[in-house]
Amino acid sequence: MIRNAKFSDKSHVLNFCQNTFSWGDYVEHVWDYWLNEDLLFVYEKQFPVGICHGFFSKNQIWIEGIRVDQNFRKQKIASLLVNHIESLGQKNGALFSFMLIDVENSTSLSMAKSLKYDILETWNFYSLEPKKNSNFDIVFLKSFDTTFYTHYVKSWRWLPLDSETIFELLKQNKIIQSKIDGKVSTAIISNSEHFDNTLIVTLFSDSEKTLLQIILFLQNHAIQNNYSRIQILTKEKLFDFEFLEHKLSFHLLRKNLV
Ligand SMILES: CC(C)(COP(=O)(O)OP(=O)(O)OC[C@H]1O[C@@H](n2cnc3c(N)ncnc32)[C@H](O)[C@@H]1OP(=O)(O)O)[C@@H](O)C(=O)NCCC(=O)NCCS
């Protein structure tokens, strides 16, 4: 019933992944990437009726894109797909499985609960409009203490911030910071691998003043580098700012695999 997805599944799958959410769905934009990345599975009756994608990173497996055709829901198809990826994770030494669920998606949250996932953190998603600015007070960090930061967001996956990853991010000037009156805001910048011209930013902020500096920098950085969208993921509730819009909030859920 569960098998690796193949190229010819695409049209069947996109048929039931069009109006998944009130705003539509993103599966059509990522299907080709996921197929290439591997660990894309379908649940097949006579044709595919469910999908799920997994992504290994260090000691964890990331689970995303759980979709079941409306006509086949409540038959444990999603649960079987998730269990399938979890057991692959276990076989490959993953300690944890993670997934991200919209705080308002109660069906999916019930599913995660029934699969023994716990809410680890809640994250807010803001969009920020690019804009030309100058005179922002930020530095590119040369070292970064991760004691309080375990993950950063890359292509909408929360990936572990281990020393190797930090080293690469610092080398590429991807970690910026603003420090004013002993307060700090830090941002980790990455490109979306799946969406064109999209800057994805993981933000940790202590104060409004330092946050403003980061925001001014990001807007200008986007203009200078031809990004048309800036997506900010942060655990904080950000202040009201003309070019900043709160879009959604998500729970980051975790399951111990050992
Ligand atoms: C969420 C979704 C993937 C669940 O698929 P499914 O195959 O119907 O789920 P399962 O049959 O494996 O259900 C597992 C558990 O989830 C919960 N659940 C599933 N559907 C539910 C519903 N409509 N209402 C409440 N709880 C529900 C139940 O706890 C269920 O266990 P139970 O049957 O023992 O009560 C499916 O509804 C879907 O595709 N939704 C739209 C896409 C989506 O939200 N994806 C997740 C994004 S993170």
Short mmCIF file of all heavy atoms in Angstrom, two decimals, residues 20-21 66-69 72-80 100-101 105-108 110-112 114, ligand 1:
data_model
loop_
_atom_site.label_atom_id
_atom_site.label_comp_id
_atom_site.label_asym_id
_atom_site.label_seq_id
_atom_site.Cartn_x
_atom_site.Cartn_y
_atom_site.Cartn_z
N THR A 20 -6.46 22.22 -0.29
CA THR A 20 -6.29 21.62 1.03
C THR A 20 -6.60 22.62 2.15
O THR A 20 -7.28 22.32 3.11
CB THR A 20 -4.83 21.12 1.20
OG1 THR A 20 -4.48 20.36 0.05
CG2 THR A 20 -4.67 20.28 2.45
N PHE A 21 -6.05 23.83 1.98
CA PHE A 21 -6.23 24.86 3.00
C PHE A 21 -7.02 26.02 2.39
O PHE A 21 -7.23 26.06 1.18
CB PHE A 21 -4.86 25.35 3.50
CG PHE A 21 -3.98 24.24 4.00
CD1 PHE A 21 -2.85 23.84 3.28
CD2 PHE A 21 -4.28 23.57 5.18
CE1 PHE A 21 -2.04 22.81 3.74
CE2 PHE A 21 -3.48 22.53 5.64
CZ PHE A 21 -2.35 22.14 4.92
N ILE A 66 1.93 16.02 4.65
CA ILE A 66 0.98 14.91 4.88
C ILE A 66 -0.36 15.33 4.27
O ILE A 66 -0.95 16.32 4.67
CB ILE A 66 0.77 14.64 6.39
CG1 ILE A 66 2.11 14.62 7.13
CG2 ILE A 66 -0.01 13.35 6.60
CD1 ILE A 66 1.95 14.72 8.65
N ARG A 67 -0.79 14.57 3.27
CA ARG A 67 -2.05 14.87 2.60
C ARG A 67 -2.79 13.57 2.33
O ARG A 67 -2.20 12.62 1.82
CB ARG A 67 -1.83 15.55 1.23
CG ARG A 67 -1.03 16.82 1.24
CD ARG A 67 -1.84 18.00 1.77
NE ARG A 67 -1.07 19.22 1.67
CZ ARG A 67 -0.21 19.65 2.57
NH1 ARG A 67 0.01 18.95 3.67
NH2 ARG A 67 0.45 20.79 2.40
N VAL A 68 -4.09 13.57 2.62
CA VAL A 68 -4.91 12.40 2.27
C VAL A 68 -6.12 12.91 1.50
O VAL A 68 -6.75 13.90 1.89
CB VAL A 68 -5.33 11.61 3.54
CG1 VAL A 68 -6.30 10.51 3.20
CG2 VAL A 68 -4.09 11.04 4.24
N ASP A 69 -6.40 12.26 0.39
CA ASP A 69 -7.58 12.57 -0.43
C ASP A 69 -8.82 12.59 0.48
O ASP A 69 -9.02 11.66 1.27
CB ASP A 69 -7.69 11.45 -1.50
CG ASP A 69 -8.82 11.69 -2.48
OD1 ASP A 69 -9.84 12.29 -2.08
OD2 ASP A 69 -8.68 11.25 -3.64
N PHE A 72 -10.85 9.56 1.33
CA PHE A 72 -10.21 8.41 1.97
C PHE A 72 -9.70 8.73 3.38
O PHE A 72 -8.86 8.02 3.91
CB PHE A 72 -9.06 7.89 1.09
CG PHE A 72 -9.53 7.37 -0.24
CD1 PHE A 72 -9.67 8.23 -1.32
CD2 PHE A 72 -9.87 6.03 -0.39
CE1 PHE A 72 -10.12 7.76 -2.55
CE2 PHE A 72 -10.32 5.55 -1.61
CZ PHE A 72 -10.45 6.41 -2.70
N ARG A 73 -10.22 9.80 3.96
CA ARG A 73 -9.73 10.19 5.29
C ARG A 73 -10.33 9.31 6.39
O ARG A 73 -11.29 8.61 6.17
CB ARG A 73 -10.06 11.67 5.55
CG ARG A 73 -9.17 12.56 4.67
CD ARG A 73 -9.31 14.03 4.96
NE ARG A 73 -8.50 14.77 3.97
CZ ARG A 73 -8.57 16.07 3.75
NH1 ARG A 73 -9.41 16.81 4.45
NH2 ARG A 73 -7.79 16.65 2.84
N LYS A 74 -9.73 9.38 7.56
CA LYS A 74 -10.17 8.62 8.75
C LYS A 74 -10.05 7.11 8.52
O LYS A 74 -10.84 6.32 9.02
CB LYS A 74 -11.61 8.99 9.14
CG LYS A 74 -11.79 10.41 9.63
CD LYS A 74 -11.31 10.64 11.05
CE LYS A 74 -12.29 10.18 12.09
NZ LYS A 74 -11.71 10.24 13.45
N GLN A 75 -9.08 6.69 7.73
CA GLN A 75 -8.82 5.26 7.54
C GLN A 75 -7.39 4.93 7.95
O GLN A 75 -6.82 3.96 7.49
CB GLN A 75 -9.03 4.87 6.08
CG GLN A 75 -10.42 5.14 5.56
CD GLN A 75 -10.55 4.80 4.06
OE1 GLN A 75 -9.83 3.95 3.54
NE2 GLN A 75 -11.44 5.48 3.38
N LYS A 76 -6.78 5.82 8.72
CA LYS A 76 -5.40 5.63 9.23
C LYS A 76 -4.34 5.75 8.14
O LYS A 76 -3.20 5.31 8.34
CB LYS A 76 -5.25 4.27 9.95
CG LYS A 76 -6.11 4.15 11.18
CD LYS A 76 -5.46 4.85 12.36
CE LYS A 76 -6.33 4.76 13.60
NZ LYS A 76 -6.19 5.91 14.48
N ILE A 77 -4.70 6.30 6.99
CA ILE A 77 -3.71 6.39 5.91
C ILE A 77 -2.57 7.34 6.30
O ILE A 77 -1.38 7.00 6.15
CB ILE A 77 -4.39 6.83 4.59
CG1 ILE A 77 -5.30 5.68 4.11
CG2 ILE A 77 -3.37 7.21 3.52
CD1 ILE A 77 -6.11 5.97 2.88
N ALA A 78 -2.92 8.52 6.84
CA ALA A 78 -1.87 9.46 7.26
C ALA A 78 -1.01 8.82 8.35
O ALA A 78 0.23 8.91 8.30
CB ALA A 78 -2.50 10.75 7.77
N SER A 79 -1.65 8.16 9.30
CA SER A 79 -0.89 7.55 10.40
C SER A 79 0.11 6.52 9.86
O SER A 79 1.26 6.47 10.30
CB SER A 79 -1.84 6.85 11.38
OG SER A 79 -2.77 7.77 11.88
N LEU A 80 -0.33 5.71 8.91
CA LEU A 80 0.57 4.69 8.36
C LEU A 80 1.74 5.33 7.60
O LEU A 80 2.88 4.88 7.70
CB LEU A 80 -0.20 3.75 7.42
CG LEU A 80 -1.16 2.80 8.15
CD1 LEU A 80 -2.12 2.12 7.16
CD2 LEU A 80 -0.38 1.74 8.92
N LEU A 100 5.57 20.39 11.59
CA LEU A 100 5.07 21.75 11.84
C LEU A 100 3.59 21.77 11.48
O LEU A 100 3.22 21.34 10.39
CB LEU A 100 5.84 22.71 10.92
CG LEU A 100 5.62 24.19 11.16
CD1 LEU A 100 6.35 24.62 12.43
CD2 LEU A 100 6.14 25.01 9.98
N ILE A 101 2.76 22.26 12.40
CA ILE A 101 1.31 22.28 12.12
C ILE A 101 0.73 23.63 12.49
O ILE A 101 1.00 24.16 13.58
CB ILE A 101 0.58 21.15 12.89
CG1 ILE A 101 1.17 19.78 12.50
CG2 ILE A 101 -0.92 21.19 12.61
CD1 ILE A 101 0.52 18.60 13.22
N ASN A 105 -5.10 24.19 12.73
CA ASN A 105 -5.41 22.93 12.04
C ASN A 105 -5.68 21.83 13.08
O ASN A 105 -4.84 20.98 13.37
CB ASN A 105 -4.24 22.55 11.13
CG ASN A 105 -4.56 21.39 10.22
OD1 ASN A 105 -5.52 20.65 10.45
ND2 ASN A 105 -3.75 21.20 9.19
N SER A 106 -6.90 21.87 13.64
CA SER A 106 -7.19 21.00 14.78
C SER A 106 -7.19 19.52 14.37
O SER A 106 -6.78 18.65 15.16
CB SER A 106 -8.53 21.38 15.41
OG SER A 106 -9.51 21.42 14.44
N THR A 107 -7.60 19.21 13.13
CA THR A 107 -7.59 17.81 12.68
C THR A 107 -6.17 17.25 12.70
O THR A 107 -5.90 16.17 13.23
CB THR A 107 -8.13 17.72 11.24
OG1 THR A 107 -9.40 18.35 11.20
CG2 THR A 107 -8.24 16.30 10.76
N SER A 108 -5.28 18.04 12.14
CA SER A 108 -3.91 17.59 12.04
C SER A 108 -3.25 17.54 13.43
O SER A 108 -2.44 16.64 13.71
CB SER A 108 -3.17 18.56 11.12
OG SER A 108 -1.98 18.01 10.71
N SER A 110 -4.84 16.82 16.16
CA SER A 110 -5.34 15.58 16.80
C SER A 110 -4.57 14.38 16.27
O SER A 110 -4.24 13.47 17.04
CB SER A 110 -6.81 15.33 16.50
OG SER A 110 -7.57 16.43 16.72
N MET A 111 -4.31 14.42 14.96
CA MET A 111 -3.55 13.30 14.38
C MET A 111 -2.17 13.21 15.04
O MET A 111 -1.72 12.13 15.45
CB MET A 111 -3.40 13.51 12.88
CG MET A 111 -2.54 12.48 12.20
SD MET A 111 -1.99 13.02 10.57
CE MET A 111 -0.89 14.36 10.99
N ALA A 112 -1.50 14.37 15.16
CA ALA A 112 -0.15 14.38 15.75
C ALA A 112 -0.20 13.87 17.18
O ALA A 112 0.66 13.11 17.62
CB ALA A 112 0.43 15.79 15.68
N SER A 114 -2.41 11.82 18.44
CA SER A 114 -2.66 10.37 18.44
C SER A 114 -1.39 9.59 18.04
O SER A 114 -1.26 8.43 18.39
CB SER A 114 -3.84 10.02 17.52
OG SER A 114 -3.41 9.93 16.19
C1 LIG B 1 -4.78 15.58 8.65
C2 LIG B 1 -4.95 14.42 7.65
C3 LIG B 1 -3.60 14.20 6.94
C4 LIG B 1 -5.32 13.16 8.44
O1 LIG B 1 -5.38 12.09 7.53
P1 LIG B 1 -6.20 10.75 7.86
O2 LIG B 1 -5.65 9.66 7.01
O3 LIG B 1 -7.64 11.02 7.80
O4 LIG B 1 -5.77 10.52 9.40
P2 LIG B 1 -5.84 9.15 10.20
O5 LIG B 1 -6.97 8.32 9.72
O6 LIG B 1 -4.49 8.52 10.19
O7 LIG B 1 -6.20 9.69 11.66
C5 LIG B 1 -5.33 9.59 12.75
C6 LIG B 1 -5.92 10.34 13.92
O8 LIG B 1 -6.01 11.73 13.59
C7 LIG B 1 -7.18 12.30 14.22
N1 LIG B 1 -8.12 12.74 13.19
C8 LIG B 1 -8.10 12.46 11.88
N2 LIG B 1 -9.13 13.08 11.25
C9 LIG B 1 -9.79 13.75 12.18
C10 LIG B 1 -10.95 14.60 12.16
N3 LIG B 1 -11.60 14.86 11.03
N4 LIG B 1 -11.33 15.16 13.33
C11 LIG B 1 -10.68 14.92 14.48
N5 LIG B 1 -9.58 14.12 14.56
C12 LIG B 1 -9.16 13.54 13.43
C13 LIG B 1 -7.79 11.19 15.06
O9 LIG B 1 -7.18 11.26 16.35
C14 LIG B 1 -7.33 9.96 14.32
O10 LIG B 1 -7.28 8.82 15.12
P3 LIG B 1 -8.64 7.96 15.32
O11 LIG B 1 -9.09 7.61 13.93
O12 LIG B 1 -8.16 6.79 16.12
O13 LIG B 1 -9.60 8.84 16.03
C15 LIG B 1 -6.05 14.71 6.61
O14 LIG B 1 -7.19 15.15 7.29
C16 LIG B 1 -5.67 15.75 5.58
O15 LIG B 1 -5.13 15.44 4.52
N6 LIG B 1 -5.92 17.02 5.91
C17 LIG B 1 -5.55 18.15 5.06
C18 LIG B 1 -4.07 18.34 5.00
C19 LIG B 1 -3.43 18.59 6.33
O16 LIG B 1 -3.93 19.30 7.19
N7 LIG B 1 -2.23 18.02 6.47
C20 LIG B 1 -1.40 18.16 7.63
C21 LIG B 1 -0.60 19.37 7.51
S1 LIG B 1 0.60 19.38 8.79
#
